[in-house]
Amino acid sequence: MKIINKLLCGLVIFTVACIAQAQGNFATTSEIRAALDSGTITSELLVSRYLKQINQLNDKLHAVTQLSPLAMEEARRLDRLRREGQILGPLHGIPVLVKDNIDTGDGLANTAGSILLSDNIPADDAFLVQQLKKRGAIILGKANLSEWANFRSTNSSSGWSGTGGQARNPFDLSRSPCGSSAGSAIAVSAGMIPLAVGTETDGSITCPAAVSGIVGIKPTLGLISRSGIIPISAYQDTAGPMAATVTGATLMLDAMVGQDSGDSDSLAPSGQYADALNPEGLKGKRIGVVRNLMGYSPQTDAVFELALTVLQEQGATIVDNANIETLEKIHGLEFELLAWEFKDALNEYLANSPSQYKSLEALIAANQNARETEMPFFGQEIFEMAQGSRGRKEESFAHKIEELRQLARAQGIDATMAKHNVDILIAPTVSPAWKIDHINGDHFTGSATTPAAVAGYPHITVPMGFVQHLPVGLSFFASANQEDRLIAAAYNYEQASKQRRAPRFLNGDPAPYISGTN
């Protein structure tokens, strides 16, 4: 479905090829910033370029669901401020997509991918959106996602939503984009946007980033405010930046952070994370290999072994078999607790939203009435499981939450790092993208995402290489508030390995995407 039929009148609209030839190549945030600073391009023209990209590619990729009616006006305002010498921040005049479970006050619905929330039109921006705007970012629109952030059915197809249809991997249209931040990752990878916001409870930023060949940062819990985000769990949910490069993701992280009185876990940032972009960030670091987060894809593991060589060449010491001994117990506890928390967290969001549906129970009934559009491929077993619980009032909830956090934190990541005296832990992020299967659901074999997700600790994935034509990612994670050391290591690895590659659509046309390394 075309979501733009024509662009605003009065603009000179360039094709991607024309912009690349006449204006320079603007695939990365660094290149865009340089072009804006030099006057080679304006934000107005940049917005029109990305609207053109979305219009050309979205029928194949289903990455974008809504476009902001205010984006072009905001671009012109930011161009005017630039001419007057006022630069709001490192993202001044750069377009950004936000995942469609984040409130924006521009008249767009916050749907979580469900047609049931088409009337959920927030009056105000989420706190993180306010922060982005203060730093000069232009909210271009909303990105498709796995409906309800992949928390409706155990048989779901990642990247499918009632509002956006099936999002598709830009490296192979027959394969999954993973989820739930599927549209955010696809749009960045395919050059439909330079930057996007994702959200993660467990793997929803890092998995789609890895299989789409981009960078994703899941920060420490509380570093980015959760106000205005449709929730799963206050104990694990966080938003995070998704970009083509570590530099772009880091600049975006700096723009998103900020202490929010409306979020009880909100943290003040510790300096500028861009200061950690060190081309020698691996030198002298001890890197622990978490072997029990491997084995779900032998071909991916083989690419990982090559990555270890790069890390060593850059001055890192590899400490093998730095395994997280509590991993099995973490997996055993996580899902049930998420379902209990989800019931109450979602009810609280809905009660204060413009949506006509004020509870999970009401959504379950409405999904039954809209089965043909909302449940053509999979059901709502997770919804029903959550509704059948007592939520946070379950007798063992508080005890089990504390037990789970200890397993992931003090007894998990922290204990592993201390035992092996390492600065960072690494593993392959996830297998290559699997085939989309609306009959059997996702063919997910495992990932490195859970320990950091449950702990609320930072996790960065960076392009690691390829299994045939499909990208795979390398995960860096550590203890709380250690984003700076992860960014330094990830940046050094990215610059040394140069594994990012433009997607070439199989079963479709090649993506008009421009490579870059900064």
Side-chain angles (χ1 to χ4, degrees), residues 60 173 504-510:
K60 289 185 176 73
L173 300 179
R504 308 292 293 183
F505 294 7
L506 294 186
N507 307 315
D509 299 325

Side-chain angles (χ1 to χ4, degrees), residues 102-309:
I102 300 171
D103 287 351
T104 57
D106 52 6
L108 301 182
N110 189 10
T111 72
S114 172
I115 63 170
L116 302 183
L117 293 194
S118 59
D119 63 345
N120 183 37
I121 301 174
D124 301 307
D125 291 326
F127 184 85
L128 74 87
V129 175
Q130 294 175 22
Q131 294 297 99
L132 284 168
K133 287 183 174 180
K134 285 179 184 177
R135 273 71 171 201
I138 300 168
I139 306 303
L140 192 62
K142 306 293 282 289
N144 197 10
L145 70 159
S146 307
E147 187 172 306
W148 294 106
N150 241 354
F151 211 71
R152 197 193 82 190
S153 172
T154 56
N155 199 43
S156 65
S157 176
S158 285
W160 184 90
S161 73
T163 60
Q166 179 63 61
R168 296 183 179 275
N169 192 298
F171 285 85
D172 185 334
L173 300 179
S174 71
R175 292 185 179 267
S176 174
C178 198
S180 63
S181 304
S184 299
I186 295 163
V188 170
S189 180
M192 300 164 81
I193 199 74
L195 301 168
V197 180
T199 67
E200 174 161 329
T201 304
D202 185 345
S204 287
I205 290 171
T206 45
C207 182
V211 302
S212 285
I214 66 165
V215 175
I217 300 179
K218 186 206 82 70
T220 299
L221 188 74
L223 190 60
I224 296 175
S225 169
R226 298 162 299 183
S227 298
I229 301 175
I230 297 175
I232 292 179
S233 170
Y235 297 94
Q236 292 183 209
D237 290 353
T238 182
M242 305 176 79
T245 64
V246 175
T247 299
T250 303
L251 292 172
M252 193 177 179
L253 179 64
D254 276 330
M256 294 171 71
V257 297
Q259 196 157 19
D260 175 18
S261 61
D263 183 342
S264 59
D265 290 321
S266 184
L267 303 170
S270 54
Q272 292 288 311
Y273 295 104
D275 292 341
L277 293 167
N278 180 1
E280 295 186 340
L282 286 164
K283 191 173 183 179
K285 294 295 187 295
R286 290 175 57 83
I287 309 292
V289 178
V290 187
R291 291 281 174 187
N292 65 340
L293 285 174
M294 297 174 59
Y296 39 78
S297 168
Q299 291 172 299
T300 304
D301 290 350
V303 177
F304 177 77
E305 297 301 326
L306 298 176
L308 294 182
T309 301

Side-chain angles (χ1 to χ4, degrees), residues 66-85:
Q66 302 178 73
L67 293 170
S68 173
L70 306 181
M72 194 63 75
E73 178 184 344
E74 181 66 0
R76 292 174 182 136
R77 184 183 76 87
L78 291 166
D79 281 337
R80 184 172 63 254
L81 289 178
R82 184 181 294 277
R83 290 193 298 271
E84 294 169 354

